[in-house]
Structures are given as C-alpha cells and as structure tokens.
Amino acid sequence: MEDAGLNGLGSVREEDPRLNGGLVGYEMVDDKRRMLDGLTNGVARLNGSAGSRSGPLTNGDASSPEGAAAAPMDAINPFHRLPPEIEHITFGYLPLSKLITRLVQETFNDLTQVIDDMSVMQIPQQNQQSNSNHAHNQVNGAATANQSQVNVQKKLRLLNFAQDRRAQFIKLLVLSQWSRQATDVSKAIDLKVWLDRQKGLSDDAGGWMGELKRNLGPAKMPNPDLKTSLEVLSTGKASWLPDLGYIPPDPLTPQQMLKALRNINTLLSIRLNLHETIPPPFRTFSIASGRATFRVANEFEVDLSIADEDPSSQLYFIDFRFAFSPSPSDLPSGRLRNEIEGKANNVLRTDGLVGCYHFLHDFVLTYKINVLRNQAVDMVRNRWTESLKLEPLRRTLVVQYWLNRPGGKSWLEIGIKSGRRKDQNRTTVEATPYIAVRWIRHGKEVNDSLLTFNMGELSMEAIVKKVIALHSNHILESIRDRLLEDTVYANGSLSMTLSRSLTEPVQSSLDVQLTVSKHVTVFVEPLAGTFTLRPTSYLFARAERDINSLAHPAADASTRLANLRWMVAQEDIALRARCTEWELLKGRQLKQEDMERWLPRDTLRISFFRRKPWSSNWLVACTSSRGGESWWIIETLPDDSLSSSNKINAAHLIPPNSLPAFTPTSSYAFLSKLESVAAGMISYYVNTRYLFHLGIRHALSPPWSALPGLNFPILCIRFTPNMVPSFLHSPKRPVVPWAHELVKVTFRGIESSSQRNDTPSGSAILLAEARMVTPISEAKLLTSRVDPSIAFHPTSGAFAFRLLSPVGQPIIPALLDRLKRIERLFRFLEALKQYNLKYETISLGQIVFTYSFNPFPLKADIGFATDAPMRISFDTGNPHLRIMDFLTTLLNVDGGLEQVALLLGITLPLLRALDAAEAPRTGNDAKQTETPVILSRSAEWFLIRYVTSKCRFDIRLRQRKDELKWFLRDVSTSEERSSRPPGLDRELRALWLDRGDGWFGMRTGIVASVDGVEDLVRRLDELVRGFAGTDVKGDGSSAVANANDTGDGHMQERDKKQGQDVVVVLD
C-alpha cells in the first residue's frame, strides 16, 4: 500500500473513515485530522512560518504562554496512532519468468515431436520428367507442388503446431502487458480481500447478537400472575380451571392392602421367573411387601415393582440403598433421588432389568471413586502431607506416593474398567464394568496377585498402606534374593531373616548377618520411602545414606550391604592371612584393565600369596567381594613376575566346595588343603590349555572315587578321529577303534622327596587310565614285557600308567607319546591275530613276527620310534625284499598295518615265482635261456620283460567278484610283437585260452588266484624261455637297441639296497 505522503494518507482517511480499520470511529478520524494539522503547523513553525503571522519566530511559537514549549509527540510522529496496514496477499502468485520458461520448454518439446513425426511420414516420389515439362506450362514459371495426401498431412501438422503455439504466446503477451500494472492490481486485490473480511465480520456480529437474544430468552423471568395468585390464596381454587366432577375412591382397608400386596408378590414372582431376562448380578433377589429387592454384593440394593398385570409392562423404581460403607443408609430425597428415579424408570421402560443394572452399577462405581477421592483428600490434609499427590482424572483417581524418593515415580490408579474383552460385543451382559487398581512401581506396571482390596469397606488409607507394604516387601525381597546370590549367604555361612506384612509396611524388615557376631536390620519408612538401618553406628549411618541416594534400591542396595559386610570382615581376613605359612606379597598391585578383564567387577580388595617351591609366575590371590572371599590362581607373565605391578596372563577361581569351611580355628588346615588344591588345579589348567591348543576334546567330570583328603575332578580326554593330533593319528581312522576314545587323567597329589629320589620335590603325580574295546589274553605277558610303569587288566581291557611333571608343566606330550606307542602295539597285535601271525618279540618300540613257514620261516621286523616313521625290514633272501620300500611307505598311511599284513600273504606266492624266474639257470641250456627283467611299480603291480623275445607282460592285483585276483596281460607294442621269434605269438595265444591250477585264460589275458599265480608265472616263463634260442625277426641291431630300452616311455634306475635290485619306474 502506498503511504509515502501525508496528504495522500490524509485524503484516504477523510473520504472513508472505515478503511484500514473498520472499528475506528469518526472521533478517531477527527483526532487524526487535528494531529496532521498540528504536524503541519509545527513544521511551519520550525521553518519560521506562523500561519497568518509574518516574520520569523525564534525558539518556538510566540503565541504559546511560555514562548518556548515544544511540539506535542502526536504532532511530531502521528503514525503510531494509525490502524495497522492492510494485509498484503501473496498466496498463489507465480513469477512471470517461470511461466515464460515453461512455455518455451513446452514449445521446444512439441516442435521436436512434430519434426520426429514428420520424418516418419514418407512422401511418394513423382516422375521428375513430368514435373519438369509441367513446369513450363505454369504461369510465371511456378511449378505445381507435391499434392499427395502424406505431404498435405505433414503441412497441416506443422501449421497446427504453429497456430497452437501462436495462441499460447499471445496469451503470454497479454499477461506480460498486464504484469506492468501488477502493483496496482495487487493493491486492488488486497483491498478487495480486506473489504470481504470486514463484511464477514459485520455479518458475524449481527448473527452473534441474534443468537445472544435467543439465548437470553430462558433467562428472562416471566411477569407474575397476580390475579390468579390472589384468587387461589383467597378461595383455594382457580375459577378458570375446569371441574371434571370425579368422585374420589374410598380408602383401602388393611385387608385390601394386604391382599393387593400378595397379588403383586405373586405377579412379580411369575413375571421374574417366566418372562423377565434377569442379568447374573440380579439373580439374588427377594419378593416381599409388593416389591422385588435385588441385591448386588458390596454395591447396592434396589426395590422394583409393577403397575400392571401385563407381563410386557415395565417395572418401576421404588427404592435404592447402598450396600457398602462408608455410605448413607438411604438415598436422600430431593433432586438426586428424583433424577435417579426418573432415569431408572426410563431405563426400565427401554432396556428392562439389564439396563437398570448397568445404570445403577455405573452410578455406584462412580460414587465409590468419589468416596475414595474424598478420603485421599483428607489423608493429604492430615498425616500424609507432602507424602501423597492426587490427580483426579474423570472417573479415575491417581495417587502418587514417595514423592521425594529418587528414581522413577510410583503411583496408584483407581478407575473403572469396562470388563470387556477385545473380541466381545458391547451389548454382551457378561461385559460388566468394575473398579480396578493399576499399580505403577518405578515407572513400570506391576501385575501382583496380592493387590486385592475389600470393595465393601472403602478405605483409601488401607489401600495406600497395602500398596506401600507390597512395595516395601518387593524391595526387601529383591535385596534378600540378590544377597542370596552371594556365596556366604547361599551356602548358609551367614543368615538372613525377612519379615513381611501385607497391611502395615512398618512391620516389614530384613535382618542380615554381617559376621558371626554382628547383624543389621533394614526398614523402609512408609511415608517417605527412606531406608533405616539398625542398630545405629558410624558405618551403618554411612551405608544408610548411600542406600537412600540410590535410584533403584531394589537392584543396588544389596551392593551397599555387601560393602558394609566387607568393611566389617576385612580385618578378620587380614589377621588370618598373617597367621599362615604362606608368603604375603604386600607390594603387589594389578592394573585396572587386568582387574576388569580377569576378576569380577564387584571385587573390593585383593591379596597375593605364594609358595616357594612353585614357579614365580604362579600366585594365589584372595579377593573380597559381595559374594564373600574367593581364592584365585593367578598366572603372571614371566617378565613381570618380580615387578610390583603384575600383568595377568591367566586367572582361575578355586571352587569353594573344594576347600574346607573358612573359620579361624581351621586356618592351618585350610591353607594345607589350599596348597594341594592349588597345585592340582595348576596341573589341570596347564594340561587343558595344552589340549585346547591341540584341538583335542576334553572335559572335567566329578571324581568317581575320592581319595582321602582330596577330591579332584577327572580330566576326561576324548581322542576322536577329527580332533587328535596328527602325529598320533592319521586323518582317516579305522571304523573299529582299538580302545575307547575316553582317557581319564587324575591328579594324585604332590611327589615328596621321601617317595622317589629320582624326581624333584613338589612334582605333580597324575594317573592316566583307558580301556581297550576288546581285551587281549596276553595282558599279563604284556605287563611284564612292555613297560613296568604300565598295568593291564586281563579281563576288562583297562590299562593305566603313571606320569610325573613339575607343577606348571603339561604332561600331555608324554601322555600322547605313551598312547601312541600303546596304540601301535595293540594295532599290531590285532593285525597279527587277524591274519594268524605269531609275534616273537614285542615292546613299545619294536615287534618281530613270523608270517610264513613254507618252505622256511619268514620274519618281519617293524620298528616304531617316537619321532620317526615306522619301518619294516626283512632277513636276507626274503622274497619281500623286492617291495620292502613300498611296504614301508604303506605302513605309515592310514590303515597301513592291516594292509601290510594282508599284502604279506597275498604277494608271497607271486614274489616267490618272480624270484624263481630271476634265478640264474645251470646246465647246458644256461647260455640259451633268457633272464627276464622284473620291474616293481608298486606292491600290487609288476612288469615282466623279456628283452630278447620282445615280450612285455603286466601283472596286477585287482578285485573280481569280491575276490582278489592277479590279472596278467601282454602289454607289448606292435613293433615288439612284429619282431618276436616265429611261433611265439601262436603259443601265447594258446596260453591265453588255456587253463591251469588256479588260473584260466580270457583270450586277452589270464586271471589267477592268489595261490595259482605262482604256477602261472612259472608256465609263462618256461614258454618264453623256450623261444630264447630262435632267431628273431629283423636285424640284430634292433635287438640290441631294444635290449637297452625299457619301452613305453619308462626310465629305470637301479640301486643296490639291502641285497635287492630296486627299480624305480618314472612315467
């Protein structure tokens, strides 16, 4: 709005005084006019003009009384008395630049679309020659354009686009011209909106005045009818009232009244039993004196009756009485009774007895809430001042208690619940409202089954006391339960006694025994909720102050009581420690990070002890906490063992049940037992840690038979196939183990110098026990032959051995080595027994057995050192010297012992035949015979080659129909076969079709049994040797060359080792 000039502003106000503030009257306009005139005059005076006067005026107006008076404030700045500016409307305005940008963008997009559409439309080509000739016939040389339909559509499309865009830009031009006058139009819009608002206010004022007139009508007192009043007061009647001439009935006699009441009683009984739907709370009723009295326990009694014999007629309200206290005996007459009676009759007419019950039930519930509210107000005004806070919310009463107690708020909500489930209809009779109590304890709702109250005797003080008593009991029970988690209270060393009351919170208390002679009793003050400790002392007062400052005493007060117990008992513990043979390390301290990592958080104090025979990095610590005194085994780093600030490497708690009761009279016995227990636990821990690093499953189980004075657990080690160390078992284990997987290791005490002179004093004694799956009959013989420190039971298969180690050193390496030796020993015995082999020498490192007696005894010697692979050796002349290296390799793989024992019997006939074939010939034909070259590719695969005869035979052990068979086939090359002696191929083909003792031909090869392969090799050797003296096909150089060739790309290396030729075949 324009307000730059005073003249313009003044002219607007003079033309219409209601503008820019319609509530301003003409008197204000006159004031403004005078204010403007005064401002004009003041300015003129300042400029030296006095209106009609001439000449300059100095220091103000000369016409003023004093001659130097300043101009008034309204004359200097009259704008502060003007009405506020008219609101400027800016909602819905958009800048013109945005409109232009959008229109240009839209035009560009549409033009691109038109060009794309026109490019798709193809125009048919006309004959250029005809067009050229036709052009000469046109006037002024104008040629006729392409008039095809497609061309016309393209032109129309472009013209339509141009026409549409032109219309849009014309509109934009109009808007741009109009925008040059946007300021004036905006002022006109602001003025129009302001006028519409003023008109709306004027219309609303008229409507409000009319509504006010209508509302004042009932409040107007009518004029008194003095004429009728005088007539009624003087004559007792009104002449204008009609007289119908009714004759009043005669009064009823007592007999008639009694008969009428009996008839009513009968009708009520018939109607209530046959026709009425009685809600469950109204089923307790009685009929007498012409009325039916319905009784609802702890709520009300209501009398109803009838006025008609028709069963469909309504029942009527007679009387109402409360059935609880405190309450009035009868419903007082007056407005309240009339309201209840009228409402009850209306409900009886519409909803019957069900509606009447709900109406009266809701009324009684609301009245009970009001009674409790009044009682709560009286409590706040008297004894419970500043202890309770009331918050009435409609039909709900909220009572907050323990106002100054830190932590979450606690309050009690007494209200009315609908009694309706979520899936229940609103009209269901069973959905009966009732008064419910909701208890919020420290900000959380509590569902306590003990939170029940007598609704027949309303007492707000009893309700509050019961809630506070339950709250106090909860706190004391929580403190007791948390203290029971401590060892000293859980095992009965110290006692606690809890006294509870459900009605008087002052009678609830908790008696806690701190030491043998000192107790403390904890009370909760009912009004303020503070804690009180008795008897009174300095330590108890400080603990009481700490407990009252807690926000959650139920969870944290037990810690303060534990601190109190520790402060009382710490001097006794220190005295016992100084009276022992243990070395007390006073200068030791632990870092805070080690304390938090290894020790419990509730640790209050720690003391260190040590025995001289132990390693310097192993200590015993006694910690004091809320759980009592605990003893720990501490392992420090070796570098920090002598420093004042130790760094813990491991900490282990000594189980309390493994120690005797800690009393002053048994301190020496306790520490003696502590030494044995600590030494045993150190041995167990170092061994279990070693087993964990190896990945072997283990566990500690209770002892099966306790030793006198010792009760250590049993270290059970399970040697499963996947978890045993690689040097003890291979990754694949046999299906049937030689012994049970469980090995038990038991601590048997400390080795003293008097027991054994060859061991250091203080060594830990451990006994390892295991059991074989199948007992062996040679157990007694093994006990005497194998090792005196190992004992075997002949019938149960159990065996045990004794191990010694210094305290702090693991015995697992020695145990594994001993088990490895025993396992190998029993594996060998099982294998020998399975294949009917007889051992001659047996020990934990060597076994010698005989596996054949034909034609002479053949022995095998197997040695198994601790840190070396197993080896097998044979005597000179043994056929198995040929494959001894293969058997040694096979012996060290999974199940190798069984495979070696099996191969010794299977390969023996073949190896005897091969040795016979290689044996030199004697006699006249010694020079003409040929000695074959035998290559051992494995223990089950052999290659027999005759260089001169150009023959090469492969013999391999395979399984055929669940039997092991030797397969012989000719593997000679085609060149070798073409160079063979004449007739050899024919004889070999005949052999492939022949049959012998334990072997038969199969056209391309021969299959032989384990025993028949010896005859087969002998027959083949004789056949090939028979052609050794004949001429071979080809020249001699070829034979010589082939004699030095191994064929099939194989290379041979010979080595003399233990009296046999070893041939290594490399593919």
Side-chain angles (χ1 to χ4, degrees):
M1 301 298 293
E2 295 182 4
D3 53 359
L6 296 175
N7 295 332
L9 183 62
S11 63
V12 174
R13 297 297 183 267
E14 291 174 357
E15 292 175 359
D16 190 357
R18 292 173 296 176
L19 294 179
N20 205 354
L23 298 180
V24 181
Y26 290 98
E27 183 179 358
M28 182 178 292
V29 174
D30 295 337
D31 293 339
K32 294 176 182 178
R33 183 181 297 109
R34 289 192 297 270
M35 188 167 50
L36 293 175
D37 294 339
L39 177 62
T40 306
N41 296 333
V43 173
R45 291 187 181 97
L46 292 175
N47 293 331
S49 175
S52 61
R53 296 183 183 183
S54 61
L57 296 176
T58 304
N59 296 330
D61 190 358
S63 62
S64 61
E66 298 179 358
M73 182 59 66
D74 292 343
I76 296 176
N77 187 11
F79 296 102
H80 72 279
R81 296 183 60 185
L82 296 179
E85 286 292 335
I86 297 177
E87 181 183 0
H88 180 57
I89 305 300
T90 58
F91 178 75
Y93 282 25
L94 294 176
L96 182 62
S97 60
K98 189 172 183 180
L99 180 61
I100 296 174
T101 302
R102 289 186 177 180
L103 182 59
V104 171
Q105 183 65 35
E106 183 180 2
T107 303
F108 176 77
N109 295 338
D110 292 346
L111 178 60
T112 304
Q113 184 65 31
V114 169
I115 293 174
D116 293 341
D117 295 343
M118 291 175 62
S119 63
V120 176
M121 305 169 65
Q122 300 295 332
I123 302 175
Q125 299 293 333
Q126 296 182 357
N127 191 348
Q128 296 181 359
Q129 183 65 27
S130 62
N131 290 340
S132 177
N133 296 332
H134 186 70
H136 293 286
N137 300 325
Q138 301 301 321
V139 181
N140 296 329
T144 304
N146 190 349
Q147 298 298 327
S148 62
Q149 185 176 1
V150 177
N151 191 23
V152 172
Q153 291 179 356
K154 292 176 65 175
K155 294 177 180 179
L156 289 176
R157 180 67 183 275
L158 185 60
L159 290 175
N160 291 334
F161 165 73
Q163 184 177 0
D164 292 342
R165 294 296 95 191
R166 179 176 179 274
Q168 294 294 334
F169 277 98
I170 289 175
K171 294 178 181 179
L172 182 61
L173 178 62
V174 174
L175 292 176
S176 64
Q177 292 177 355
W178 176 85
S179 64
R180 297 184 179 92
Q181 301 176 357
T183 304
D184 297 337
V185 174
S186 177
K187 294 178 181 180
I189 293 174
D190 297 343
L191 187 59
K192 177 65 169 58
V193 171
W194 182 82
L195 290 175
D196 291 341
R197 290 179 180 175
Q198 297 302 317
K199 185 176 181 303
L201 292 175
S202 178
D203 296 340
D204 293 342
W208 176 79
M209 295 177 65
E211 185 67 21
L212 180 62
K213 181 179 179 181
R214 286 191 296 270
N215 294 335
L216 291 177
K220 183 178 179 181
M221 182 178 293
N223 296 327
D225 188 0
L226 298 178
K227 181 179 179 180
T228 304
S229 300
L230 291 175
E231 184 178 359
V232 170
L233 293 175
S234 59
T235 63
K237 61 180 180 180
S239 59
W240 56 272
L241 292 176
D243 187 4
L244 301 179
Y246 288 133
I247 299 175
D250 296 334
L252 294 176
T253 63
Q255 292 78 9
Q256 292 176 344
M257 295 177 61
L258 180 60
K259 182 178 180 180
L261 291 177
R262 289 177 177 175
N263 292 335
I264 293 175
N265 293 341
T266 303
L267 293 176
L268 282 173
S269 177
I270 295 173
R271 180 168 178 176
L272 293 178
N273 288 282
L274 299 179
H275 301 286
E276 289 291 337
T277 301
I278 302 177
F282 269 9
R283 290 178 181 175
T284 302
F285 64 90
S286 62
I287 300 175
S289 301
R291 64 184 66 183
T293 303
F294 297 91
R295 297 178 179 85
V296 180
N298 297 328
E299 290 192 13
F300 62 90
E301 294 180 0
V302 60
D303 297 337
L304 303 178
S305 186
I306 57 176
D308 195 348
E309 296 182 358
D310 187 3
S312 60
S313 62
Q314 79 165 85
L315 295 170
Y316 289 92
F317 176 88
I318 302 300
D319 197 3
F320 177 85
R321 295 173 297 278
F322 292 104
F324 60 90
S325 61
S327 62
S329 59
D330 295 325
L331 194 64
S333 58
R335 180 178 177 182
L336 176 61
R337 183 182 181 89
N338 295 336
E339 289 288 339
I340 294 177
E341 183 176 356
K343 182 65 176 177
N345 289 328
N346 291 335
V347 173
L348 287 171
R349 182 177 65 254
T350 58
D351 299 331
L353 291 176
V354 176
C356 179
Y357 165 73
H358 285 297
F359 164 67
L360 297 177
H361 179 67
D362 291 342
F363 167 72
V364 171
L365 294 183
T366 304
Y367 184 77
K368 285 185 176 182
I369 296 297
N370 290 330
V371 171
L372 293 176
R373 181 184 293 112
N374 295 334
Q375 293 179 356
V377 172
D378 294 339
M379 292 173 61
V380 173
R381 291 175 179 175
N382 298 310
R383 178 188 175 190
W384 296 81
T385 302
E386 297 182 359
S387 299
L388 297 179
K389 181 180 180 181
L390 304 182
E391 294 183 8
L393 303 173
R394 299 184 64 180
R395 293 203 299 176
T396 302
L397 177 61
V398 180
V399 180
Q400 181 183 353
Y401 61 95
W402 292 356
L403 302 180
N404 299 324
R405 182 73 198 164
K409 296 181 179 180
S410 300
W411 69 88
L412 188 68
E413 296 181 4
I414 304 176
I416 300 175
K417 278 194 174 182
S418 63
R420 183 169 49 251
R421 299 189 303 268
K422 294 182 179 180
D423 56 345
Q424 195 173 11
N425 192 2
R426 291 179 178 271
T427 60
T428 305
V429 178
E430 287 75 7
T432 304
Y434 62 95
I435 293 180
V437 180
R438 184 167 174 256
W439 181 20
I440 309 299
R441 185 177 64 200
H442 293 301
K444 296 181 180 180
E445 184 176 359
V446 179
N447 297 322
D448 198 332
S449 60
L450 299 177
L451 194 62
T452 57
F453 306 101
N454 185 10
M455 290 292 102
E457 297 288 339
L458 298 181
S459 175
M460 192 65 197
E461 185 173 5
I463 294 175
V464 173
K465 282 186 175 181
K466 186 170 185 179
V467 171
I468 293 178
L470 292 175
H471 197 163
S472 301
N473 293 339
H474 164 72
I475 295 176
L476 296 178
E477 288 175 359
S478 300
I479 296 174
R480 182 201 60 182
D481 295 340
R482 292 182 179 273
L483 287 177
L484 283 176
E485 297 176 359
D486 301 343
T487 307
V488 292
Y489 296 104
N491 57 15
S493 300
L494 299 178
S495 62
M496 287 186 296
T497 303
L498 176 62
S499 301
R500 290 175 290 188
S501 175
L502 298 179
T503 56
E504 291 295 335
V506 71
Q507 297 179 1
S508 299
S509 62
L510 177 64
D511 184 80
V512 182
Q513 182 182 5
L514 301 179
T515 60
V516 178
S517 59
K518 292 185 180 180
H519 294 251
V520 62
T521 305
V522 183
F523 296 91
V524 180
E525 202 277 325
L527 297 181
T530 57
F531 288 82
T532 303
L533 302 183
R534 298 176 185 174
T536 305
S537 67
Y538 171 75
L539 293 178
F540 289 1
R542 187 170 65 178
E544 178 181 320
R545 183 172 61 255
D546 294 341
I547 294 175
N548 287 326
S549 63
L550 296 176
H552 302 284
D556 302 332
S558 58
T559 304
R560 301 300 188 272
L561 292 177
N563 293 341
L564 179 62
R565 188 200 66 81
W566 168 75
M567 295 173 65
V568 173
Q570 63 177 343
E571 294 298 332
D572 296 339
I573 298 175
L575 179 62
R576 292 188 183 98
R578 287 190 292 265
C579 296
T580 62
E581 297 178 356
W582 290 76
E583 180 183 0
L584 180 61
L585 307 177
K586 297 183 179 180
R588 301 288 178 132
Q589 293 182 358
L590 290 180
K591 297 181 180 179
Q592 185 64 26
E593 55 270 18
D594 290 340
M595 291 279 290
E596 296 177 355
R597 179 183 178 185
W598 298 103
L599 300 179
R601 294 185 177 180
D602 58 349
T603 301
L604 303 176
R605 187 176 181 180
I606 182 171
S607 302
F608 294 97
F609 305 89
R610 184 177 62 184
R611 297 291 294 177
K612 293 182 178 180
W614 292 358
S615 177
S616 59
N617 62 326
W618 284 99
L619 306 174
V620 174
C622 178
T623 59
S624 299
S625 63
R626 56 172 296 178
E629 286 68 46
S630 302
W631 292 89
W632 296 76
I633 297 175
I634 304 295
E635 181 186 8
T636 60
L637 295 178
D639 297 338
D640 295 339
S641 59
L642 300 178
S643 61
S644 60
S645 180
N646 296 284
K647 187 174 183 182
I648 298 178
N649 186 37
H652 308 287
L653 175 66
I654 299 178
N657 55 2
S658 62
L659 299 174
F662 191 86
T663 57
T665 57
S666 61
S667 59
Y668 291 102
F670 171 81
L671 291 175
S672 178
K673 181 67 176 294
L674 177 64
E675 180 182 2
S676 299
V677 172
M681 290 188 62
I682 291 173
S683 299
Y684 278 114
Y685 283 127
V686 295
N687 287 294
T688 54
R689 183 168 56 188
Y690 194 86
L691 289 172
F692 176 77
H693 291 322
L694 293 179
I696 301 177
R697 295 177 58 186
H698 59 280
L700 293 174
S701 63
W704 296 342
S705 60
L707 295 176
L710 294 177
N711 192 16
F712 290 102
I714 299 174
L715 176 59
C716 298
I717 307 173
R718 185 174 297 277
F719 292 102
T720 57
N722 296 329
M723 296 185 179
V724 295
S726 59
F727 61 86
L728 182 61
H729 290 285
S730 59
K732 298 181 180 178
R733 291 290 302 129
V735 178
V736 180
W738 70 279
H740 293 284
E741 295 178 347
L742 185 64
V743 177
K744 298 183 298 180
V745 178
T746 310
F747 177 75
R748 293 290 178 169
I750 300 175
E751 181 79 3
S752 62
S753 59
S754 59
Q755 293 179 354
R756 292 187 60 178
N757 296 327
D758 56 344
T759 57
S761 176
S763 298
I765 305 174
L766 293 101
L767 182 66
E769 302 177 56
R771 186 182 298 271
M772 293 178 291
V773 176
T774 303
I776 58 176
S777 59
E778 299 85 352
K780 292 184 178 180
L781 182 61
L782 293 177
T783 302
S784 60
R785 286 188 177 185
V786 177
D787 193 343
S789 63
I790 302 177
F792 298 93
H793 196 276
T795 58
S796 64
F799 62 94
F801 49 91
R802 187 170 180 264
L803 299 170
L804 295 176
S805 68
V807 176
Q809 298 295 329
I811 63 160
I812 301 303
L815 173 65
L816 296 179
D817 178 70
R818 189 68 61 89
L819 290 176
K820 177 181 177 180
R821 290 171 174 267
I822 297 175
E823 179 192 11
R824 287 178 176 176
L825 177 63
F826 284 101
R827 290 291 183 188
F828 290 160
L829 293 176
E830 290 178 0
L832 296 179
K833 186 176 180 180
Q834 180 181 359
Y835 296 103
N836 297 323
L837 303 178
K838 183 180 180 181
Y839 67 89
E840 295 184 359
T841 303
I842 185 170
S843 66
L844 292 180
Q846 182 185 18
I847 183 171
V848 179
F849 60 92
T850 303
Y851 62 91
S852 177
F853 293 92
N854 185 21
F856 52 88
L858 297 177
K859 299 180 180 180
D861 185 357
I862 299 178
F864 37 95
T866 302
D867 53 354
M870 292 186 292
R871 57 174 180 79
I872 185 171
S873 60
F874 302 95
D875 297 335
T876 304
N878 194 312
H880 284 92
L881 285 173
R882 185 186 302 274
I883 60 173
M884 184 178 65
D885 292 341
F886 296 115
L887 293 178
T888 300
T889 303
L890 184 61
L891 187 63
N892 289 279
V893 300
D894 185 27
L897 179 61
E898 290 79 1
Q899 297 183 28
V900 169
L902 178 62
L903 286 176
L904 288 176
I906 293 176
T907 58
L908 181 58
L910 176 61
L911 294 177
R912 282 202 302 257
L914 295 179
D915 286 349
E918 284 185 336
R921 297 294 189 268
T922 59
N924 297 329
D925 297 335
K927 296 182 179 181
Q928 298 180 359
T929 58
E930 180 184 3
T931 300
V933 178
I934 300 175
L935 304 179
S936 300
R937 295 188 174 181
S938 68
E940 305 168 359
W941 187 10
F942 302 91
L943 181 66
I944 305 174
R945 183 178 183 187
Y946 295 88
V947 180
T948 305
S949 301
K950 305 299 182 180
C951 295
R952 191 187 308 222
F953 302 99
D954 181 270
I955 182 168
R956 184 178 299 185
L957 183 65
R958 293 181 179 178
Q959 186 174 358
R960 184 175 184 270
K961 296 182 180 180
D962 298 335
E963 294 183 7
L964 293 176
K965 300 289 185 179
W966 289 100
F967 285 80
L968 176 66
R969 61 189 181 92
D970 188 0
V971 294
S972 303
T973 62
S974 58
E975 295 179 357
E976 290 177 341
R977 293 180 181 180
S978 62
S979 302
R980 287 177 179 176
L984 180 57
D985 288 338
R986 182 177 65 255
E987 294 296 333
L988 289 176
R989 285 194 297 270
L991 182 63
W992 301 148
L993 300 176
D994 198 359
R995 180 182 296 270
D997 185 10
W999 59 272
F1000 57 90
M1002 298 181 65
R1003 291 187 180 182
T1004 59
I1006 299 175
V1007 178
S1009 63
V1010 174
D1011 296 331
V1013 70
E1014 186 174 2
D1015 180 64
L1016 173 62
V1017 173
R1018 181 188 56 79
R1019 177 76 176 273
L1020 177 64
D1021 183 65
E1022 291 176 355
L1023 188 149
V1024 178
R1025 285 175 183 270
F1027 290 88
T1030 60
D1031 296 334
V1032 297
K1033 299 178 183 179
D1035 54 2
S1037 61
S1038 177
V1040 176
N1042 291 332
N1044 297 325
D1045 186 15
T1046 58
D1048 290 342
H1050 295 284
M1051 300 176 61
Q1052 301 186 41
E1053 294 180 8
R1054 289 185 173 271
D1055 186 15
K1056 189 68 175 178
K1057 184 177 181 181
Q1058 295 184 1
Q1060 69 164 346
D1061 293 336
V1062 179
V1063 181
V1064 180
V1065 181
L1066 303 176
D1067 294 334

